Amino acid sequence: MQKVIIDKNKCESYKTFYEIIYTELEGKLIPDWEEYDNLHYNADLLDEFLWYAYDDIGFEFVMINFDIDRLTNLKTYDDYEWKLIFEVLRSFTEKYPKNKLTIVNE
């Protein structure tokens, strides 16, 4: 299982997440995605990209220092975008059980 670790304290905004996930899942090596360095910061594209990047070993998405309660209250636009990202990750890990979403608060 390939671990993808995202620490909220190291992300300036939700946009940083998209850049990291694209790099970690080697988007440049996927022919249909080689021109999408940041997935256009779009949750719909993230959903499709994960399907393309998926393989049999699976992914473990480790999300560190995220206040899930705040994301449900949507205090900022950034919160809204993070909420969409988490919805995509949860849906993906439910559809494809070899994948896992872990939320860690330090």
Side-chain angles (χ1 to χ4, degrees):
M1 184 172 287
Q2 178 183 348
K3 277 192 179 188
V4 179
I5 301 171
I6 307 291
D7 186 342
K8 177 89 164 69
N9 294 334
K10 295 180 181 174
C11 291
E12 292 178 29
S13 76
Y14 68 93
K15 292 180 177 183
T16 308
F17 166 83
Y18 286 103
E19 294 161 4
I20 292 170
I21 201 84
Y22 182 83
T23 301
E24 289 286 320
L25 302 185
E26 299 177 331
K28 285 275 187 211
L29 301 179
I30 303 170
D32 290 343
W33 293 92
E34 57 196 8
E35 300 297 323
Y36 289 83
D37 293 348
N38 53 29
L39 303 177
H40 298 293
Y41 309 115
N42 182 291
D44 291 331
L45 289 179
L46 171 64
D47 188 38
E48 189 174 344
F49 174 72
L50 290 176
W51 183 81
Y52 272 81
Y54 175 71
D55 62 24
D56 287 334
I57 63 166
F59 302 116
E60 180 180 4
F61 301 101
V62 180
M63 308 297 281
I64 302 172
N65 296 316
F66 284 88
D67 182 353
I68 301 302
D69 292 334
R70 180 180 172 149
L71 300 182
T72 58
N73 292 327
L74 304 178
K75 295 185 183 208
T76 66
Y77 183 75
D78 229 40
D79 291 345
Y80 171 75
E81 290 292 339
W82 280 114
K83 181 181 180 210
L84 293 177
I85 289 168
F86 274 95
E87 286 174 0
V88 168
L89 293 177
R90 282 189 178 116
S91 174
F92 180 75
T93 56
E94 288 171 5
K95 285 181 194 173
Y96 304 101
K98 288 188 178 183
N99 299 284
K100 184 177 178 183
L101 173 62
T102 303
I103 300 170
V104 177
N105 288 309
E106 297 178 337

